[in-house]
Amino acid sequence: MLDLSPYLSFGNTVQCSSFFKINKTQDLEDYFTNSIGKGYLILGGGSNVLFLKEKTGLDILFISLKGKHVVLEEDAYDLVEFSAGENWHESVIWSLDQGYGGIENLSLIPGTIGAAPIQNIGAYGVEIKDVLHSVNVFDTKEKRSFILHNSECKFAYRDSIFKSKHKGKFVITAVTLKLKKSDYNINATYGAIGQKLIHKGIDKPSPKDISDLVIDIRKTKLPDPKELGNGGSFFKNPVVKNSVLHQILKMYSEVPHYPINENYSKLPAGWLIEKVGWKGKRVGNVGCHKDQALVIVNYGKATGQEIWNHALNVQASVNEVFGISLIPEVNIIEA
Ligand code: FAD
Ligand code: EPU
């Protein structure tokens, strides 16, 4: 038996009886050819999964594929391929060191390269889909490798075919990004970044400047899973009809909201959770973080089920007060 808790950002105890380290694509072919169909979970950095049971019956496939190289150099951008087991944030820093821009707003997001397209990671005005060229996948049903281009991945807010339509079908083995070496597309649209730039007197920020600011902002807002177990935002920010928004605005004119199109708007789940009274509230081993209500934290000894029960209570409160059903962003593993 292996305790997976060091591999999980929630830090809850999960025993597993079979653990496979995937060091090369051939290991996937071997596993899926010989598997007896008992069920498997692909594991990257473990920063967006919550196991409900203390003993999983799944085979855990730990993605350890390493390497990165420039595939193509163009005038406008380079194509750079990163293997799935590379750490995301270290890859951002490596890219900046090479003079590349494009993923600086996504600095300090935990996890691996291979998991980044699963929920189309995003932060501070940028999503990976904005710079993603293609994804190398291993098809677990057909047992062969091929490439999916950006448009085939059907990226949306915290979603892709890997998280919805084809959940579990593909193992991502590498990701190729379009990174710029000049004429950077600097994105300082997120309020706090703009303010910090003015405060620091930077009027022409480099990708590295943006990365430094993002790292600063994240460190003040989000708990470090090494100190307090968590999976980042537990729920997605809900997209609601404008009629729902207008009802809420009647009671709370200050509600932050972002238009999606003429009929729909996105609301911050953290604000909704705070309004129903869960921010900073602890129940036993679990709570909603004091600075960011959307982050559910494990105070040390919580089981996966306790964390999930807390999430269900939070979800029920928001539903009762606002009639909005929050959808988990974290991947819930029941087996
Ligand atoms: P894991 O947790 O290991 O896996 C997540 C899912 O992807 C699972 O379903 C798993 O089976 C699947 N998977 C993993 N690797 C592969 C692969 N190679 N092929 C196929 N399937 C795979 N996310 C954001 O978008 N923006 C943020 O700002 C953000 N901030 C965070 C802050 C904190 C403190 C934490 C703890 C999390 C945050 N997250 C954020 C969520 C998380 O970092 C991302 O979802 C990240 O991409 C997960 O990577 P991972 O390697 O840890 O994935
Ligand atoms: N807010 C509150 N109370 C709270 C938390 C937030 O009122 O307890 C308000 C804030 O004041 C702000 C708004 O809600 O007006 C949005 O908050 P914030 O900027 O902190 O971002 P978020 O919407 O809570 C999203 C992502 C994060 C990402 C940040 C930055 C989702 C589900 N979460 O959080 O991603 O880092 O924006 O771009 O989209 C993650 O996915 O795990 C994650 C951390």
Side-chain angles (χ1 to χ4, degrees):
M1 281 285 175
L2 173 76
D3 177 16
L4 287 179
S5 60
Y7 301 95
L8 305 173
S9 67
F10 273 108
N12 54 314
T13 299
V14 182
Q15 302 283 336
C16 88
S17 56
S18 40
F19 186 87
F20 299 80
K21 216 168 170 196
I22 306 297
N23 294 309
K24 50 190 186 310
T25 311
Q26 182 64 43
D27 296 342
L28 288 170
E29 255 179 84
D30 293 346
Y31 172 81
F32 284 100
T33 305
N34 300 318
S35 138
I36 52 166
K38 103 182 223 228
Y40 61 89
L41 182 84
I42 311 298
L43 190 65
S47 64
N48 213 22
V49 284
L50 177 64
F51 285 85
L52 301 192
K53 290 189 178 160
E54 289 180 69
K55 202 168 173 182
T56 177
L58 300 172
D59 287 340
I60 303 298
L61 274 58
F62 181 69
I63 303 299
S64 195
L65 303 157
K66 299 285 182 192
K68 45 188 162 319
H69 65 278
V70 178
V71 179
L72 187 72
E73 289 181 278
E74 295 273 0
D75 287 344
Y77 54 78
D78 287 2
L79 292 184
V80 187
E81 183 184 297
F82 299 86
S83 295
E86 291 288 338
N87 175 277
W88 173 265
H89 177 66
E90 284 169 16
S91 303
V92 173
I93 299 302
W94 177 87
S95 302
L96 291 169
D97 288 346
Q98 311 305 305
Y100 287 126
I103 48 177
E104 55 278 5
N105 295 54
L106 305 177
S107 296
L108 216 59
I109 296 182
T112 54
I113 286 280
I118 305 289
Q119 69 160 9
N120 177 28
I121 56 166
Y124 305 100
V126 171
E127 293 178 323
I128 192 176
K129 75 164 172 49
D130 303 332
V131 292
L132 185 139
H133 175 266
S134 55
V135 173
N136 294 26
V137 295
F138 177 82
D139 185 324
T140 60
K141 304 276 178 307
E142 295 179 17
K143 300 182 189 58
R144 66 183 180 100
S145 296
F146 52 92
I147 289 176
L148 290 171
H149 286 95
N150 187 316
S151 63
E152 297 173 281
C153 302
K154 304 274 182 269
F155 289 119
Y157 165 63
R158 295 295 190 274
D159 200 19
S160 72
I161 55 163
F162 310 111
K163 195 164 182 179
S164 49
K165 189 173 176 203
H166 292 306
K167 191 171 177 176
K169 183 174 193 277
F170 299 116
V171 181
I172 294 180
T173 54
V175 175
T176 299
L177 302 179
K178 282 162 79 163
L179 300 177
K180 295 191 110 188
K181 269 208 158 151
S182 55
D183 297 326
Y184 301 118
N185 296 324
I186 296 295
N187 185 324
T189 50
Y190 188 88
I193 294 183
Q195 286 157 18
K196 278 188 180 266
L197 285 172
I198 294 168
H199 183 72
K200 292 199 170 212
I202 303 172
D203 58 353
K204 281 210 172 93
S206 65
K208 173 82 168 62
D209 291 329
I210 298 288
S211 170
D212 289 345
L213 294 183
V214 166
I215 291 171
D216 276 0
I217 295 169
R218 292 184 69 100
K219 280 187 174 163
T220 61
K221 276 194 178 187
L222 294 163
D224 181 347
K226 285 194 201 99
E227 286 156 21
L228 205 51
N230 75 87
S233 301
F234 197 94
F235 299 101
K236 297 186 195 187
N237 285 331
V239 173
V240 300
K241 282 195 176 153
N242 283 341
S243 53
V244 174
L245 167 67
H246 291 136
Q247 281 305 112
I248 298 175
L249 278 168
K250 277 187 203 160
M251 284 187 292
Y252 305 101
S253 57
E254 77 283 8
V255 59
H257 55 281
Y258 320 98
I260 297 289
N261 57 37
E262 57 182 21
N263 298 318
Y264 288 89
S265 299
K266 198 192 274 180
L267 298 178
W271 183 91
L272 295 168
I273 296 169
E274 179 171 347
K275 273 288 167 258
V276 299
W278 278 108
K279 187 168 182 172
K281 210 169 182 179
R282 175 174 176 171
V283 181
N285 294 314
V286 195
C288 289
H289 192 252
K290 63 177 177 40
D291 300 324
Q292 223 316 349
L294 186 48
V295 178
I296 293 184
V297 294
N298 173 4
Y299 285 101
K301 293 199 171 74
T303 62
Q305 190 63 50
E306 280 178 284
I307 296 169
W308 182 229
N309 290 346
H310 185 88
L312 292 176
N313 288 334
V314 169
Q315 196 183 38
S317 301
V318 170
N319 204 353
E320 198 181 308
V321 176
F322 292 106
I324 294 172
S325 223
L326 295 179
I327 298 169
E329 181 203 286
V330 168
N331 298 276
I332 308 301
I333 315 299
E334 296 183 37

